[in-house]
Amino acid sequence: MDFVVGDRTRLRLGEQEALSRFLSEPGEESFGEFFRAVAPRVFSYFRARGCETALAEDLTQEVMIAVFRQVGTLRQNESFRPWLYRVAKNVLLQFLRRKARQVDTVELDTVTKEPGNRDADPLLPVQFLEWMASLEEDERQIMMSRYVEELEYHEIAEVLDIPLGTVQWKIFHSKKKLAARFGPQSS
Amino acid sequence: MRDDFSNEHFSGTEWLSYLDGGPGAATGNEMKTHVENCPECGGFAASIGAVRAILSEQAGQLREATALSDEALDSMLTSCFSRLRSTASAEGRTRWSASEAIVLLRVLVEPICGRGTAGATIDLALRRSTASNEGSVTEGNWSLFITNFSDLMASVCGSAAGRLVNRAGFCLAVARG
């Protein structure tokens, strides 16, 4: 295969258009367009979950390579975005498992930081991270999926493999919790 | 509020549906009228609405802050192509034995971290890859070995060293054991 990065001055295709093209004409050029449309979302997914830039780039590449190899397994009626974020979630889990195995023998640089840590990353909005840190882990994942990845409720249910009703209640519960803790009447 | 969601006037399910735009028009309108005239319900709906607005705004800022430049995107794409190309062409390429490939990687990292650290890091990566010594690394667990080795190098010598090992390792075609 002869992969080329291509001309970035061309207009970027939309995500759906790029996906359709990649599925109908799989190859390096269509993958390049597809990559440009999708990789920023994946990168943002990892950054929002506390990964530093270099790590987020590596994990994004892992996801995109997995997508390149496995996109043929996407069922006809299956939505792409939940599938993509399931791949991203699995890549992050694998990384965290590997990292956990290393902790006892190797002193690691801190490559991921707890969301909400004020020192985490000065570029990220502190208030959002603080709010997310105040939620339970399952609530945080749902709220990030909803607001950062902008997934619909049914897509969140697919990504996290939980019932739709649970997604609705958790989002409502989280907002109520945030309103009570950080809202104007909280003090 | 009596419990987590409901109050004297509406159940949790009604609130969930109302705030999520769910119920039938009649129920929704009835509830809307009530919420507009009831301080308790109005305050609750307003606080939830304010939280939702802040979340949307802040998440938008987060997406902007984590946007990738064209240069970064190109670099990642080039790296992906390189990894895909190395895999695609591996079938027709001269393959290294695992021992030879590990020697090549050792030669690569020794100037960075020193001979002792290079050896210790490789040994540890081998143990973590279910391989007790260099001879038991095969095509099947080469990826795992490289992943472990690059993670360890990143921990010991920094992320740039880890990425170097990762990229070099995935470019080496290892023969079946």
Side-chain angles (χ1 to χ4, degrees):
Chain A
M1 280 192 216
D2 182 23
F3 295 108
V4 290
V5 173
D7 178 4
R8 71 162 176 259
T9 58
R10 278 183 300 177
L11 282 177
R12 283 186 191 166
L13 297 178
E15 183 180 291
Q16 193 57 45
E17 194 183 348
L19 173 65
S20 301
R21 193 170 159 214
F22 178 51
L23 287 174
S24 61
E25 305 165 35
E28 62 271 20
E29 191 183 333
S30 60
F31 179 68
E33 300 285 10
F34 173 70
F35 187 98
R36 288 177 194 291
V38 172
R41 278 183 171 279
V42 180
F43 178 76
S44 182
Y45 172 92
F46 290 121
R47 291 286 283 119
R49 281 156 182 79
C51 298
E52 289 180 348
T53 303
L55 174 64
E57 285 181 1
D58 281 347
L59 296 180
T60 299
Q61 287 176 47
E62 275 190 47
V63 170
M64 296 308 292
I65 287 172
V67 167
F68 180 86
R69 289 176 175 151
Q70 296 167 25
V71 76
T73 66
L74 194 62
R75 293 188 298 274
Q76 197 164 13
N77 295 326
E78 194 173 2
S79 304
F80 172 68
R81 286 210 301 169
W83 182 81
L84 172 73
Y85 285 117
R86 270 206 309 278
V87 175
K89 184 185 77 169
N90 290 335
V91 165
L92 183 58
L93 283 175
Q94 282 169 10
F95 167 77
L96 292 173
R97 285 192 196 113
R98 290 201 307 266
K99 187 182 154 199
R101 281 208 307 269
Q102 290 177 17
V103 168
D104 55 344
T105 50
V106 177
E107 198 171 329
L108 282 173
D109 291 329
T110 305
V111 287
T112 61
K113 289 168 180 163
E114 190 67 22
N117 178 349
R118 283 179 178 276
D119 301 327
D121 192 329
L123 296 174
L124 302 182
V126 171
Q127 184 181 17
F128 184 80
L129 298 180
E130 195 179 342
W131 281 23
M132 291 299 108
S134 72
L135 299 173
E136 299 295 327
E137 174 61 23
D138 57 342
E139 295 168 343
R140 178 161 57 235
Q141 291 307 324
I142 291 172
M143 293 298 273
M144 295 248 225
S145 297
R146 176 67 179 150
Y147 286 94
V148 179
E149 283 88 68
E150 298 181 294
L151 294 179
E152 301 295 335
Y153 287 10
H154 68 90
E155 292 178 321
I156 298 171
E158 275 186 61
V159 174
L160 301 176
D161 199 20
I162 53 177
L164 177 60
T166 304
V167 174
Q168 290 176 307
W169 278 105
K170 292 272 184 186
I171 287 178
F172 183 43
H173 179 65
S174 300
K175 285 178 189 166
K176 192 167 181 291
K177 210 188 224 183
L178 292 170
R181 181 155 182 189
F182 300 106
Q185 295 163 357
S186 61
S187 55
Chain B
M1 303 272 166
R2 285 180 312 194
D3 60 28
D4 221 12
F5 300 116
S6 58
N7 65 1
E8 296 295 327
H9 308 131
F10 297 108
S11 70
T13 307
E14 285 170 322
W15 271 117
L16 179 62
S17 299
Y18 175 74
L19 293 167
D20 236 12
T27 315
N29 287 334
E30 192 181 305
M31 197 164 166
K32 187 179 174 195
T33 306
H34 174 91
V35 169
E36 282 170 358
N37 295 298
C38 170
E40 184 192 355
C41 293
F44 177 64
S47 67
I48 296 291
V51 163
R52 184 168 48 200
I54 292 171
L55 282 168
S56 295
E57 184 199 333
Q58 293 267 309
Q61 286 177 19
L62 188 145
R63 282 193 300 276
E64 278 178 27
T66 58
L68 279 166
S69 66
D70 280 339
E71 287 72 21
L73 207 50
D74 278 352
S75 167
M76 288 166 64
L77 181 56
T78 304
S79 176
C80 271
F81 280 161
S82 166
R83 287 169 66 173
L84 288 166
R85 189 191 303 120
S86 71
T87 308
S89 62
E91 291 300 319
R93 185 152 39 118
T94 301
R95 288 169 172 269
W96 302 95
S97 71
S99 300
E100 289 168 337
I102 289 171
V103 167
L104 289 173
L105 289 176
R106 188 192 294 265
V107 167
L108 178 72
V109 300
E110 273 183 2
I112 300 170
C113 62
R115 178 174 289 189
T117 303
T121 311
I122 287 172
D123 287 345
L124 185 53
L126 286 167
R127 286 203 297 278
R128 286 187 177 159
S129 312
T130 67
S132 56
N133 55 56
E134 295 181 11
S136 58
V137 177
T138 63
E139 184 191 39
N141 57 11
W142 180 252
S143 294
L144 180 60
F145 167 71
I146 291 302
T147 302
N148 283 326
F149 186 24
S150 49
D151 285 349
L152 287 166
M153 279 302 291
S155 304
V156 175
C157 299
S159 59
R163 296 169 88 180
L164 176 69
V165 167
N166 190 278
R167 283 163 194 180
F170 279 110
C171 287
L172 289 170
V174 173
R176 286 183 174 81

